[in-house]
């Protein structure tokens, strides 16, 4: 029988004996260390201890006021405890508490009770059971700003991508695209590999430029939505359009006229789905590719700021964007007209949600870039600043 577990106030320093008491005592507890974190499992619950500091997007630690992230591979008992029956179809959470702590020089600082909200697993060769490779646990009560700064002290910005590209948007869009992509994405493929050309159709200069940039920066072709690799370009079923981009679930595609006129170096982009006639994007290919790149950069960023309210007012949008620079392009995406606002290392897109309401999403290359949004009077579902 497990004795009653003592309560620990949030923000109070504890010691290992108190940590063991939270899981029902040291006698039956198991302790595991992996990926920069320590997990103690007992009959009454679990304690997770991470190191203090901003440890980056791929290291265990406090991520924001709501979340702690763990990276494995985790031992089997940890995998079983943190995934639990919650992740079995139709099962009910067993309800054992998961306590979070951070190791400081002066002791273990208690952060509160949490629950697992996201997991990643992998099946290693020769194994029959999946192991936990990534886990996100969410605090029941978010950390105050002062407590967050104590366990994850803010770091100064380093080499934020600049805005030199912005002055080229309505002059030399090829230069704007190149400067944005090379500034935002690091080189991940140092080898120049020749692409396979689609012999039966010419490729406009803007699309060819993006393919050249993507040789060393494959993420430039998108993660949420995608630009097809050059070798995968195809005609539509009627042989009239060259399909070059697709929505992440295949709900719509972007196309160009299959036969491009010799004088048309910056063709119209057509938004196409199965139920409607093609709709022209407001910007030609040169502006569209810049908008696509901005949208994908925000969507795939490591550091995000996401308002909880999906129906922001114009006044709230003005407040969110007042310290950002608007990108001088006509709205992107006919289904939900979208405009872009930027700052060094930050991209925000704001889309119309109907009835004078808006949705917003901001992504950044470093959490310090999100400081421009910290004082906005919106409730965040996620704020990584």
């Amino acid at each position: 029988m497990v004795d009653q577990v003592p309560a620990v106030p949030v923000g109070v320093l504890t010691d290992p004996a108190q940590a063991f008491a939270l899981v029902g005592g040291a006698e039956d507890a198991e302790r595991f260390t992996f990926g920069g974190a320590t997990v103690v499992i007992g009959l009454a619950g679990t304690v997770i201890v991470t190191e203090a500091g901003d440890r980056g997007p791929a290291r265990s630690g406090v991520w924001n006021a709501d979340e702690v992230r763990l990276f494995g591979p985790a031992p089997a008992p940890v995998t079983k405890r943190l995934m639990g029956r919650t992740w079995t179809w139709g099962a009910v959470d067993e309800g054992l508490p998961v306590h979070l702590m951070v190791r400081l020089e002066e002791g273990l600082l208690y952060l509160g009770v949490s629950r697992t909200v996201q997991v990643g697993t992998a099946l290693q060769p020769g194994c029959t059971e999946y192991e936990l490779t990534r886990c996100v646990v969410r605090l029941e009560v978010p950390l105050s700003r002062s407590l967050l700064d104590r366990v994850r002290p803010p770091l100064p910005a380093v080499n934020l991508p600049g805005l030199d590209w912005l002055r080229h948007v309505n002059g030399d869009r090829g230069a704007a695209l190149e400067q944005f992509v090379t500034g935002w994405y690091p080189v991940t493929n140092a080898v120049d590999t020749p692409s396979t050309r689609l012999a039966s159709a010419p490729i406009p200069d803007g699309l060819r430029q993006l393919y050249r940039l993507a040789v060393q920066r494959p993420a430039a072709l998108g993660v949420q939505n995608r630009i097809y690799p050059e070798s995968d370009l195809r005609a539509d079923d009627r042989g009239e359009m060259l399909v070059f981009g697709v929505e992440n679930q295949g709900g719509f595609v972007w196309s160009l006229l299959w036969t491009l006129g010799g004088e048309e170096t910056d063709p119209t982009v057509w938004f196409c789905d199965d139920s409607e006639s093609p709709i022209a994007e407001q910007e030609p290919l040169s502006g569209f590719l810049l908008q696509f790149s901005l949208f994908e950069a925000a969507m795939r960023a490591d550091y995000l700021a996401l308002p909880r309210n999906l129906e922001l007012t114009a006044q709230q949008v003005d407040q969110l964007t007042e310290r950002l620079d608007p990108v001088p392009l006509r709205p992107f995406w006919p289904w939900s007209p979208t405009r872009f606002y930027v700052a060094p290392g930050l991209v925000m897109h704001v889309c119309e949600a109907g009835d004078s309401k808006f949705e917003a999403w901001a992504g950044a290359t470093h959490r310090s870039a999100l400081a421009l949004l910290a004082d906005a009077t919106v409730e965040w579902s996620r704020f990584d600043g």
Side-chain angles (χ1 to χ4, degrees), residues 14 16 24 53 55 93 137 140 160 191 205 241 269 291 327 335 362-363:
T14 65
R55 308 181 66 78
D93 188 3
V137 291
E140 290 183 353
L160 291 179
V191 179
D205 292 343
M241 309 289 283
V269 175
Q291 292 172 321
V327 178
W335 270 0

Side-chain angles (χ1 to χ4, degrees), residues 309-318 350-359:
N309 183 2
L310 298 181
E311 294 186 341
L312 300 173
T313 65
Q315 183 179 8
Q316 288 175 308
V317 170
D318 288 344
V350 177
C351 61
E352 297 178 15
D355 297 326
S356 299
K357 300 294 184 180
F358 303 87
E359 297 177 7

Side-chain angles (χ1 to χ4, degrees), residues 181 185 210 213-214 217-223 227 289 292-293 296 300:
V181 170
Y185 296 106
L210 186 63
L213 294 170
R217 298 168 172 83
L221 294 183
V223 175
I227 300 294
L289 291 177
F292 176 89
S293 298
E296 292 301 310
R300 73 174 300 277

Side-chain angles (χ1 to χ4, degrees), residues 44-311:
T46 304
V47 167
I48 297 173
V49 181
T50 63
E51 301 295 329
D54 190 348
R55 308 181 66 78
R59 296 288 303 276
S60 298
V62 176
W63 182 250
N64 57 32
D66 299 281
E67 295 180 358
V68 167
R69 295 183 177 183
L70 304 177
F71 290 88
V78 175
T79 298
K80 183 178 180 181
R81 175 60 64 90
L82 293 183
M83 290 182 67
R85 297 180 66 242
T86 302
W87 302 96
T88 303
W89 181 258
V92 178
D93 188 3
E94 292 177 333
L96 290 178
V98 177
H99 304 274
L100 298 182
M101 297 183 180
V102 168
R103 184 177 289 107
L104 303 176
E105 290 185 2
E106 58 270 35
L108 300 175
L109 188 69
Y110 186 71
L111 302 186
V113 177
S114 67
R115 60 185 177 87
T116 302
V117 295
Q118 191 178 89
V119 296
T121 60
L123 185 63
Q124 300 299 331
C127 299
T128 58
E129 293 187 359
Y130 284 85
E131 64 182 12
L132 189 68
T133 57
R134 180 177 182 274
C135 179
V136 177
V137 291
R138 182 180 293 271
L139 285 157
E140 290 183 353
V141 179
L143 302 178
S144 66
R145 186 76 232 186
S146 60
L147 188 54
L148 176 62
D149 287 346
R150 185 178 179 187
V151 298
R152 197 208 64 192
L155 295 176
V158 179
N159 298 325
L160 291 179
L163 297 181
D164 287 347
W165 59 271
L166 193 59
R167 62 189 174 91
H168 296 297
V169 169
N170 283 326
D172 184 349
R173 288 181 176 175
L177 180 66
E178 180 141 5
Q179 289 180 14
F180 175 76
V181 170
T182 56
W184 189 276
Y185 296 106
V187 171
T188 58
N189 179 14
V191 179
D192 265 344
T193 54
S195 60
T196 302
R197 288 286 311 280
L198 186 71
S200 56
I203 299 174
D205 292 343
L207 198 52
R208 190 184 312 282
Q209 179 191 26
L210 186 63
Y211 288 142
R212 177 176 58 79
L213 294 170
V215 170
Q216 294 188 325
R217 298 168 172 83
L221 294 183
V223 175
Q224 174 73 9
N225 305 313
R226 294 184 299 115
I227 300 294
Y228 284 128
E230 190 173 354
S231 57
D232 291 344
L233 292 176
R234 60 179 176 84
D236 66 2
D237 294 339
R238 293 174 292 184
E240 297 174 352
M241 309 289 283
L242 180 67
V243 180
F244 72 92
V246 64
E247 188 257 350
N248 70 92
Q249 296 181 349
F252 58 83
V253 298
W254 288 290
S255 302
L256 305 170
L257 287 177
W258 175 255
T259 303
L260 297 172
E263 300 295 326
E264 192 176 14
T265 59
D266 196 12
T268 299
V269 175
W270 295 92
F271 173 96
C272 314
D273 70 0
D274 293 334
S275 61
E276 298 181 4
S277 299
I279 304 172
E281 287 279 356
Q282 293 195 46
E283 288 290 342
L285 183 63
S286 61
F288 168 87
L289 291 177
L290 186 53
Q291 292 172 321
F292 176 89
S293 298
L294 290 165
F295 187 88
E296 292 301 310
M299 292 300 294
R300 73 174 300 277
D302 289 322
Y303 303 96
L304 301 178
L306 310 179
R308 188 177 303 278
N309 183 2
L310 298 181
E311 294 186 341

